[in-house]
Amino acid sequence: MKQKKTVEDYLKAIYTISKRKNVHGADIAAQLKVSRPTVSVALRALSEEGYLFLDDKTREVHLTDRGREIAGEIYERHDTVRKLLTGLGVDEETASADACEIEHLISAQSYEAFKALIRDKK
């Protein structure tokens, strides 16, 4: 799995689902709106790259430390951009969708500026 956005989307989905319950392929497929076979292929690739592992007995998906670190960073970027957009008056649904795209493209410098702007507004 080579596309950075795809890797990040899968890791973030697993991360967010795991905050509510144990993660299975069907949960990931539902959240990302992709087929279960697509998820199976992606999970295999992500496992080979060291981002996650599958529990053979329960078929649960677990992030490795490396996967959890990346997922946490992506989640934080998404949340920061979403908060900034909603603070500017963008509706929640649009802000979340836009944040999903921006989170993959934003430079470290711009991201830090966004975080500072949100901090200063408080």
Side-chain angles (χ1 to χ4, degrees):
M1 179 169 283
K2 295 181 180 173
Q3 225 176 14
K4 179 183 174 194
K5 180 184 184 310
T6 303
V7 169
E8 291 175 348
D9 284 344
Y10 271 86
L11 295 178
K12 184 178 76 172
I14 295 164
Y15 182 82
T16 58
I17 295 165
S18 71
K19 290 176 167 278
R20 300 184 315 267
K21 63 182 198 167
N22 294 333
V23 183
H24 294 91
D27 303 316
I28 300 165
Q31 183 156 328
L32 295 177
K33 297 179 176 81
V34 298
S35 71
R36 290 181 68 181
T38 298
V39 170
S40 292
V41 170
L43 292 180
R44 196 171 312 115
L46 290 168
S47 177
E48 289 171 4
E49 292 180 26
Y51 295 120
L52 59 84
F53 64 94
L54 298 170
D55 184 313
D56 291 332
K57 291 179 184 173
T58 63
R59 302 306 297 161
E60 292 174 4
V61 180
H62 301 277
L63 294 171
T64 61
D65 289 342
R66 179 177 172 214
R68 194 174 305 103
E69 180 181 340
I70 293 167
E73 290 169 4
I74 294 298
Y75 180 83
E76 183 182 315
R77 277 191 293 205
H78 176 92
D79 197 49
T80 298
V81 173
R82 183 192 55 75
K83 284 178 183 173
L84 178 64
L85 293 173
T86 56
L88 294 171
V90 177
D91 68 271
E92 186 68 40
E93 186 177 336
T94 302
S96 188
D98 288 348
C100 235
E101 295 301 320
I102 295 168
E103 71 195 26
H104 304 290
L105 305 172
I106 194 168
S107 69
Q109 182 179 4
S110 293
Y111 174 60
E112 290 302 319
F114 281 11
K115 286 192 334 187
L117 183 61
I118 290 171
R119 268 193 311 270
D120 292 345
K121 284 183 119 182
K122 288 183 179 179

